[in-house]
Coordinates of all heavy atoms in Angstrom, one line a residue:
L401 N 7.4 -37.4 23.0 CA 6.6 -36.8 24.1 C 5.6 -37.8 24.5 O 4.9 -37.6 25.6 CB 5.9 -35.6 23.6 CG 6.8 -34.3 23.4 CD1 6.0 -33.2 22.9 CD2 7.4 -33.9 24.8
D402 N 5.4 -38.9 23.7 CA 4.3 -39.8 24.0 C 4.1 -40.3 25.4 O 3.1 -40.3 26.0 CB 4.4 -41.0 23.0 CG 3.2 -41.0 22.1 OD1 2.2 -40.2 22.4 OD2 3.1 -41.8 21.2
G403 N 5.3 -40.7 26.0 CA 5.1 -41.3 27.3 C 5.0 -40.3 28.5 O 4.9 -40.7 29.6
I404 N 5.2 -39.0 28.2 CA 5.3 -38.1 29.3 C 3.9 -37.3 29.5 O 3.6 -36.4 28.7 CB 6.4 -37.1 29.1 CG1 7.7 -37.8 28.6 CG2 6.7 -36.3 30.3 CD1 8.8 -37.0 28.2
D405 N 3.2 -37.7 30.5 CA 1.8 -37.2 30.6 C 1.8 -35.6 30.8 O 1.0 -35.0 30.2 CB 1.1 -37.8 31.8 CG 0.7 -39.2 31.5 OD1 0.7 -39.5 30.3 OD2 0.3 -39.9 32.4
A406 N 2.7 -35.1 31.6 CA 2.7 -33.7 31.9 C 2.9 -32.9 30.6 O 2.6 -31.7 30.6 CB 3.8 -33.4 32.9
L407 N 3.4 -33.6 29.6 CA 3.7 -32.8 28.3 C 2.6 -33.0 27.3 O 2.8 -32.5 26.1 CB 5.1 -33.2 27.8 CG 6.2 -32.8 28.7 CD1 7.6 -33.3 28.2 CD2 6.3 -31.3 28.9
A408 N 1.5 -33.7 27.7 CA 0.5 -33.9 26.7 C 0.0 -32.6 26.1 O -0.3 -32.6 24.9 CB -0.7 -34.6 27.4
P409 N -0.1 -31.5 26.8 CA -0.6 -30.3 26.2 C 0.3 -29.8 25.1 O -0.1 -29.2 24.1 CB -0.6 -29.2 27.3 CG -0.6 -30.0 28.6 CD 0.1 -31.3 28.3
Y410 N 1.6 -30.1 25.2 CA 2.5 -29.7 24.1 C 2.4 -30.6 23.0 O 2.3 -30.2 21.8 CB 4.0 -29.8 24.6 CG 4.4 -28.7 25.6 CD1 4.0 -28.7 26.9 CD2 5.0 -27.5 25.1 CE1 4.4 -27.7 27.8 CE2 5.4 -26.5 26.0 CZ 5.0 -26.6 27.3 OH 5.4 -25.6 28.2
R411 N 2.2 -31.9 23.3 CA 2.1 -32.9 22.2 C 0.9 -32.6 21.3 O 1.0 -32.7 20.1 CB 2.1 -34.3 22.8 CG 2.3 -35.4 21.8 CD 2.1 -36.8 22.4 NE 0.8 -36.9 23.1 CZ 0.7 -37.4 24.4 NH1 1.7 -37.7 25.0 NH2 -0.5 -37.4 24.9
E412 N -0.2 -32.3 22.0 CA -1.4 -32.1 21.3 C -1.3 -30.9 20.3 O -2.0 -30.9 19.3 CB -2.6 -31.9 22.2 CG -3.1 -33.2 22.8 CD -3.7 -33.0 24.2 OE1 -4.1 -31.8 24.5 OE2 -3.8 -34.0 24.9
R413 N -0.5 -30.0 20.7 CA -0.4 -28.8 19.8 C 0.6 -28.9 18.7 O 0.8 -28.1 17.9 CB -0.1 -27.6 20.7 CG -1.3 -27.1 21.5 CD -0.8 -26.3 22.7 NE -0.1 -25.1 22.3 CZ 1.0 -24.6 22.9 NH1 1.4 -25.2 24.0 NH2 1.5 -23.5 22.5
L414 N 1.3 -30.0 18.7 CA 2.3 -30.2 17.7 C 1.6 -30.8 16.4 O 1.3 -32.0 16.3 CB 3.4 -31.2 18.1 CG 4.4 -30.6 19.1 CD1 5.4 -31.7 19.6 CD2 5.2 -29.5 18.5
D415 N 1.3 -29.9 15.5 CA 0.6 -30.3 14.3 C 1.5 -30.6 13.2 O 2.3 -29.7 12.8 CB -0.3 -29.0 14.0 CG -1.1 -29.2 12.7 OD1 -0.9 -30.2 12.0 OD2 -1.9 -28.3 12.4
P416 N 1.6 -31.9 12.8 CA 2.6 -32.2 11.7 C 2.3 -31.6 10.4 O 3.2 -31.7 9.5 CB 2.6 -33.7 11.7 CG 1.4 -34.2 12.5 CD 0.7 -33.0 13.1
L417 N 1.1 -31.1 10.2 CA 0.8 -30.4 8.9 C 1.2 -31.3 7.7 O 1.9 -30.8 6.8 CB 1.5 -29.0 8.8 CG 0.8 -27.9 9.6 CD1 1.8 -27.0 10.2 CD2 -0.1 -27.1 8.7
E418 N 0.8 -32.5 7.7 CA 1.2 -33.5 6.7 C 1.0 -33.0 5.3 O 1.9 -33.2 4.4 CB 0.6 -34.8 6.9 CG 1.2 -35.7 7.9 CD 0.2 -36.2 9.0 OE1 -1.0 -35.8 8.8 OE2 0.6 -36.9 9.9
A419 N -0.1 -32.4 5.0 CA -0.4 -32.0 3.7 C 0.6 -31.0 3.2 O 1.1 -31.1 2.0 CB -1.8 -31.4 3.6
V420 N 1.0 -30.1 4.0 CA 2.0 -29.1 3.6 C 3.3 -29.7 3.4 O 4.0 -29.5 2.5 CB 2.1 -28.0 4.7 CG1 3.2 -27.0 4.4 CG2 0.8 -27.2 4.8
A421 N 3.7 -30.6 4.4 CA 5.0 -31.3 4.3 C 5.0 -32.1 3.0 O 6.0 -32.1 2.3 CB 5.2 -32.2 5.5
D422 N 3.9 -32.8 2.7 CA 3.9 -33.7 1.5 C 4.0 -32.8 0.2 O 4.7 -33.1 -0.7 CB 2.6 -34.5 1.5 CG 2.7 -35.6 2.5 OD1 3.8 -35.8 3.1 OD2 1.6 -36.2 2.8
L423 N 3.2 -31.7 0.3 CA 3.2 -30.8 -0.9 C 4.6 -30.3 -1.2 O 5.1 -30.4 -2.3 CB 2.3 -29.6 -0.6 CG 2.3 -28.5 -1.6 CD1 1.8 -29.0 -3.0 CD2 1.6 -27.3 -1.2
I424 N 5.3 -29.9 -0.2 CA 6.7 -29.4 -0.4 C 7.6 -30.5 -0.8 O 8.4 -30.4 -1.8 CB 7.2 -28.6 0.8 CG1 6.3 -27.4 1.2 CG2 8.7 -28.1 0.6 CD1 6.6 -26.8 2.5
E425 N 7.5 -31.6 -0.1 CA 8.4 -32.7 -0.4 C 8.2 -33.2 -1.8 O 9.1 -33.5 -2.5 CB 8.1 -33.9 0.6 CG 8.8 -35.1 0.4 CD 10.3 -35.0 0.5 OE1 10.8 -34.0 1.1 OE2 11.1 -35.7 -0.2
G426 N 6.9 -33.2 -2.3 CA 6.6 -33.6 -3.7 C 7.0 -32.6 -4.7 O 7.3 -33.0 -5.9
A427 N 7.0 -31.3 -4.3 CA 7.1 -30.3 -5.4 C 8.6 -29.8 -5.5 O 9.0 -29.5 -6.6 CB 6.2 -29.1 -5.0
I428 N 9.2 -29.5 -4.4 CA 10.5 -28.8 -4.4 C 11.7 -29.7 -4.3 O 11.7 -30.6 -3.4 CB 10.5 -27.8 -3.3 CG1 9.2 -27.0 -3.2 CG2 11.7 -26.8 -3.4 CD1 9.0 -26.0 -4.3
V429 N 12.7 -29.6 -5.1 CA 13.8 -30.4 -5.0 C 14.5 -30.2 -3.7 O 14.4 -29.2 -3.0 CB 14.8 -30.2 -6.2 CG1 14.2 -30.4 -7.5 CG2 15.4 -28.7 -6.1
D430 N 15.3 -31.2 -3.3 CA 15.9 -31.2 -2.0 C 16.9 -30.0 -1.8 O 16.9 -29.4 -0.7 CB 16.7 -32.5 -1.7 CG 15.8 -33.7 -1.6 OD1 14.5 -33.4 -1.6 OD2 16.3 -34.8 -1.6
E431 N 17.7 -29.7 -2.8 CA 18.6 -28.5 -2.6 C 18.4 -27.6 -3.8 O 19.1 -27.5 -4.7 CB 20.0 -29.0 -2.6 CG 20.3 -29.6 -1.2 CD 21.8 -30.1 -1.1 OE1 22.6 -29.5 -1.7 OE2 22.0 -31.0 -0.3
P432 N 17.3 -26.8 -3.6 CA 17.0 -25.9 -4.7 C 18.0 -24.7 -4.9 O 18.7 -24.4 -3.9 CB 15.6 -25.3 -4.3 CG 15.5 -25.5 -2.9 CD 16.4 -26.6 -2.5
P433 N 18.1 -24.2 -6.1 CA 19.0 -23.0 -6.3 C 18.4 -21.8 -5.7 O 17.2 -21.8 -5.4 CB 19.0 -22.9 -7.9 CG 17.7 -23.5 -8.3 CD 17.4 -24.6 -7.3

Side-chain angles (χ1 to χ4, degrees):
L401 288 177
D402 242 352
I404 313 173
D405 283 347
L407 296 176
Y410 288 82
R411 192 183 55 232
E412 281 152 20
R413 288 159 58 216
L414 287 174
D415 176 355
L417 282 140
E418 277 127 358
V420 173
D422 291 349
L423 172 66
I424 301 172
E425 178 59 25
I428 314 288
V429 300
D430 293 351
E431 286 183 26

